[in-house]
Amino acid sequence: VLVRGGRVVGRGWHRAYGGPHAEVSALRSAGPRARGATAYVSLEPCSTTGKTGPCTEALARAGVVRVVWAMDDWNPPNARRAASLLSRGGVAVDGNVLPEAGERAVRALRRGGPRRRPWTIAKWAMSLDGRISPARGQGGRLSGPQALRWLHDLRGRVEAVAVGVGTVLSDDPRLTCRRPGGPPHGRPQPLRVVFDSRLRTPPSAACLRSASEDAPVLLVHARVAGVRRLRLERPGVEFLEAGDRRRVDLAAALARLWDRGVRRLLVEGGGEVLGALAGAGLVDQVFCVATPLLLGGKGAPTPLADTGVDSLAEATRLSPLAVRRLGADVLLQAYATGVTGDARS
Ligand SMILES: NC(=O)c1ccc[n+]([C@@H]2O[C@H](COP(=O)([O-])OP(=O)(O)OC[C@H]3O[C@@H](n4cnc5c(N)ncnc54)[C@H](OP(=O)(O)O)[C@@H]3O)[C@@H](O)[C@H]2O)c1
């Protein structure tokens, strides 16, 4: 935000990979009111030319008199570089004032860059006895209306939402963000992704029926005969081959999603895909909605199917659980340990 005389005169955020940074977007929204303003940003402004020009120059050119940021740039050559450039240009700086909050705001970018994969969020809803659907028959929604509102809000805050083809076949989800007014801050709808090795998604699937060039669906598959693709081809349906074996190579698929600009990937199940991701160490954050329901049933699916874990020592350790009520349900949240995060966020 840009603030002048105690009033916010401009707001901005980094909407999309390769697009203008938050600073430039805020300067555009403020126009001439940026002159004499203070800029408050989460991350130290960039001072080099990458996909866009240096924000330090844009801020100084617009007449911003002070810049405050929560967290220094973590890249050693760039850390505090903006501080010295701005000060030399006569702009006051207050850097690294809230490093923990800054880390929370930028962790998808920070963690993803070196690993070249999106921050991966595993989400499921389960009965109190730990089942994600009945053993036989149709799936269906387990959690209540508040949890549903929370989910649509979350979908609006990520670049992509994914499920396995098993979930498409049983639940037929649309996977769109249906929050009143659409995704927050004018963000685009998330890219919808289906992990579907042999392209079993039916052409009549709800997600495909609502696909368009503006709201595409990406079918991630293994090596398949072209004819299987042909029956699914239509505007808004895209294909990505990841892995030449029987099954989609999830790590390779995530790397390709990162290259496409996906920084946060929300994986909403089912158990097979989530189990495979967790088993490969590809889960960063977990959201579990526990709902007051007893399902039971021998063979009823659980949140994670095969992870390949045979002993406690091999289990994925999580940070202490953060708890929030969502109506009759409880939302549990944690990070995979080794991943910096704040359980309160
Ligand atoms: N309560 C909840 O939160 C929730 C959420 C979602 C689903 N569900 C329930 O979960 C059930 C469906 O779960 P599911 O486990 O069968 O489906 P799933 O995880 O959605 O899909 C499984 C399929 O994904 C495909 N896949 C592609 N690449 C994979 C990989 N590398 N590893 C593993 N699978 C891969 C596999 O089919 P191919 O080999 O053909 O590609 C696999 O059979 C339904 O009963 C549904 O209602 C519940």
Side-chain angles (χ1 to χ4, degrees):
V1 291
L2 289 164
V3 177
R4 195 173 76 176
R7 298 178 72 105
V8 172
V9 294
R11 290 174 193 272
W13 56 95
H14 186 198
R15 281 169 194 261
Y17 174 62
H21 288 174
E23 292 87 338
V24 171
S25 138
L27 290 171
R28 280 183 193 159
S29 91
R33 291 174 302 167
R35 190 153 295 282
T38 295
Y40 294 91
V41 296
S42 41
L43 177 64
E44 177 175 1
C46 73
S47 48
T48 51
T49 303
K51 293 231 177 272
T52 59
C55 288
T56 44
E57 277 177 22
L59 288 162
R61 221 177 18 246
V64 167
V65 291
R66 180 170 166 240
V67 184
V68 182
W69 60 84
M71 180 193 180
D72 284 343
D73 194 321
W74 58 83
N75 257 332
N78 296 338
R80 304 296 294 174
R81 195 159 176 262
S84 56
L85 286 172
L86 286 167
S87 320
R88 253 187 276 151
V91 179
V93 296
D94 274 308
N96 218 34
V97 295
L98 285 167
E100 279 181 23
E103 162 79 26
R104 278 208 299 279
V106 302
R107 65 190 162 204
L109 190 66
R110 175 171 192 183
R111 295 277 151 187
R115 304 185 300 196
R116 304 207 67 72
R117 71 163 176 83
W119 177 269
T120 305
I121 304 165
K123 181 263 158 190
W124 65 82
M126 65 174 201
S127 61
L128 206 56
D129 56 315
R131 309 295 213 274
I132 60 165
S133 65
R136 289 169 295 279
Q138 291 279 300
R141 183 153 301 287
L142 305 187
S143 47
Q146 254 176 271
L148 188 61
R149 279 198 293 278
W150 164 82
L151 173 63
H152 282 287
D153 194 68
L154 180 63
R155 283 183 182 171
R157 293 170 190 276
V158 296
E159 285 81 26
V161 175
V163 288
V165 64
T167 299
V168 170
L169 293 171
S170 66
D171 298 0
D172 200 17
R174 270 180 284 172
L175 300 174
T176 47
C177 163
R178 296 188 296 284
R179 175 185 184 272
H185 310 306
R187 292 175 59 94
Q189 280 286 339
L191 171 71
R192 292 170 287 164
V193 178
V194 181
F195 297 115
D196 182 5
S197 314
R198 287 166 284 148
L199 292 178
R200 291 189 288 144
T201 298
S204 60
C207 62
L208 297 191
R209 275 190 280 122
S210 56
S212 67
E213 265 148 30
D214 295 335
V217 173
L218 181 67
L219 299 175
V220 184
H221 58 88
R223 189 162 287 171
V224 283
V227 61
R228 295 197 72 91
R229 268 172 73 145
L230 219 55
R231 60 188 247 292
L232 294 166
E233 272 172 10
R234 69 176 77 167
V237 178
E238 298 175 23
F239 298 88
L240 168 65
E241 186 177 311
D244 52 2
R245 296 180 186 208
R246 210 172 46 86
R247 266 210 167 155
V248 168
D249 175 340
L250 292 170
L254 261 51
R256 301 283 294 276
L257 290 172
W258 172 269
D259 290 341
R260 237 188 114 118
V262 175
R263 297 293 171 259
R264 280 152 303 187
L265 171 69
L266 172 64
V267 187
E268 294 193 23
E272 276 207 51
V273 160
L274 288 178
L277 283 168
L282 295 172
V283 171
D284 298 307
Q285 187 174 7
V286 173
F287 283 119
C288 162
V289 178
T291 194
L293 187 71
L294 297 179
L295 259 177
K298 238 186 187 172
T302 58
L304 306 182
D306 192 17
T307 55
V309 169
D310 293 322
S311 69
L312 265 182
E314 294 168 86
T316 305
R317 297 268 160 203
L318 301 176
S319 63
L321 292 170
V323 184
R324 176 173 154 198
R325 283 212 79 97
L326 293 172
D329 304 322
V330 166
L331 173 68
L332 302 167
Q333 195 222 168
Y335 298 94
T337 44
V339 175
T340 314
D342 183 341
R344 286 162 301 168
S345 68

